[in-house]
Amino acid sequence: MSSSSSAAAGAGSGEPSSTSRPGKEREDGGDGGGRKVGEGGADFDLAGAAAGWVEARTSCPHLPAMPAASADDLARVPPPDSPCSRCHHPAENWLCLICKDVLCSRFINKHMLYHYQDTGHCLALSFSDLSVWCFACDTYLDVQSILELRPVYEVAHLMKFGQRPPFRSLDVLDLSSGQNGGSPSQS
């Protein structure tokens, strides 16, 4: 299955697929439920819902389950081309952010999904596109605005691309809502 065709199947069943857009594709019941009619009958899209993608969350209650980003923990991050530790499949693999095990996606043999079901380790980083998924929340997490995710993401990005990732500046992020734009202006 290609990454673009598998992307829509990712949500709701535990593990997303690989895409590189800021939002991720999600199956839509085909009813275009994300469309609203504004004043004057203008039709507009809400957060990409009708387009089949969703925004990554800017917070997650499961982050405390992740070990602190110490030098020892970050040294345990394996290279992005690591095969699944169960079936040794070379592609579509995910890194468990709790124990650093590498397991294949639900599109291969579902070993990361089974790992979550067996251990409760709910946070994983895709070696395909470096997106982060929380199985318990059933959603992607935004590494740009969740500071706890940045160290492991940076290590994976360095290993995959040989350079540091381009992070958005925190002063343009409103971390309480996850929206761009900085602080509100005062009158």
Side-chain angles (χ1 to χ4, degrees):
M1 184 179 279
S2 76
S3 63
S4 62
S5 64
S6 63
S13 52
E15 189 175 322
S17 71
S18 317
T19 62
S20 58
R21 294 194 294 193
K24 299 290 182 178
E25 294 186 16
R26 182 181 283 267
E27 246 179 51
D28 184 25
D31 61 0
R35 309 253 351 133
K36 295 287 183 190
V37 177
E39 290 183 83
D43 180 59
F44 61 94
D45 187 278
L46 286 180
W53 61 277
V54 294
E55 292 293 324
R57 286 182 59 173
T58 58
S59 64
C60 174
H62 305 100
L63 292 171
M66 226 172 55
S70 68
D72 288 340
D73 184 62
L74 294 175
R76 294 179 48 224
V77 175
D81 60 353
S82 297
C84 175
S85 65
R86 306 287 192 284
C87 67
H88 307 289
H89 196 280
E92 286 287 329
N93 291 317
W94 289 75
L95 171 68
C96 174
L97 295 179
I98 312 304
C99 68
K100 304 303 183 273
D101 203 358
V102 176
L103 300 152
C104 63
S105 80
R106 67 184 199 91
F107 300 110
I108 307 300
N109 291 316
K110 302 180 176 139
H111 287 128
M112 184 56 79
L113 177 60
Y114 297 147
H115 179 71
Y116 161 64
Q117 292 168 342
D118 293 344
T119 65
H121 293 179
C122 60
L123 299 168
L125 178 135
S126 166
F127 277 145
S128 296
D129 67 359
L130 304 183
S131 60
V132 174
W133 180 260
C134 177
F135 286 91
C137 293
D138 196 31
T139 193
Y140 287 98
L141 302 179
D142 184 356
V143 298
Q144 293 288 335
S145 59
I146 300 175
L147 296 178
E148 296 92 334
L149 296 175
R150 282 188 172 195
V152 70
Y153 174 80
E154 185 171 8
V155 167
H157 194 281
L158 277 165
M159 285 194 283
K160 184 168 179 141
F161 300 111
Q163 61 186 9
R164 293 188 183 285
F167 285 120
R168 290 188 308 252
S169 172
L170 291 177
D171 62 338
V172 298
L173 286 174
D174 176 357
L175 296 178
S176 64
S177 69
Q179 300 297 314
N180 289 335
S183 59
S185 55
Q186 297 175 348
S187 354

